[in-house]
Amino acid sequence: MKIEGPAVRLTVFIGEDDTWHHRPLYHEIVHRAHAAGLAGASVLRGIEGYGASSRIHTTRLLSLSEDLPVAVIIVDREDRIRAFLPQLDELVGEGLVILDPVEVIRYVGRTAPVGS
């Protein structure tokens, strides 16, 4: 897949402990994005944060080191991202979903070694 120029970054902020059918929610989002043929997804684990509940989650205090913030980031063409949004409506009960316009400068995957 080749992407250059205008695109959209979808970021889903959820908690590390959020689940979907006994599996991590971030795992389900990534696998659905892959099944939908989106260009790629990354999961970033935060070390501190808070959301709508205003409760701070941090790695610095053992008692509060549960349910750290997680961001799932997906970049693709706007039409493909918008077509994926209904799946997030089904999955994300608590969290924040945002879209940002971005410009893709370079998107290159690994090439298979010669003879593979």
Side-chain angles (χ1 to χ4, degrees):
M1 173 180 293
K2 184 160 175 81
I3 301 173
E4 274 186 15
V8 171
R9 176 179 48 214
L10 167 65
T11 307
V12 183
F13 295 96
I14 54 177
E16 183 178 38
D17 292 343
D18 293 348
T19 61
W20 176 258
H21 294 232
H22 309 290
R23 293 180 4 179
L25 178 56
Y26 59 83
H27 178 81
E28 184 67 19
I29 294 170
V30 168
H31 283 266
R32 287 195 185 196
H34 185 259
L38 296 178
S42 296
V43 178
L44 307 177
R45 183 177 188 235
I47 59 171
E48 188 168 82
Y50 71 93
S53 69
S54 293
R55 181 169 177 227
I56 294 179
H57 302 270
T58 180
T59 58
R60 292 184 298 151
L61 300 172
L62 186 58
S63 63
L64 296 178
S65 65
E66 300 171 358
D67 201 26
L68 291 168
V70 171
V72 181
I73 302 170
I74 303 168
V75 176
D76 207 323
R77 294 190 331 255
E78 183 172 3
D79 60 324
R80 296 173 58 80
I81 293 288
R82 291 202 179 270
F84 184 69
L85 291 178
Q87 293 198 53
L88 291 180
D89 285 340
E90 175 188 355
L91 295 172
V92 179
E94 292 180 6
L96 174 65
V97 178
I98 62 172
L99 293 175
D100 297 302
V102 296
E103 181 180 357
V104 175
I105 304 299
R106 182 178 170 97
Y107 177 66
V108 179
R110 288 187 191 165
T111 56
V114 176
S116 295

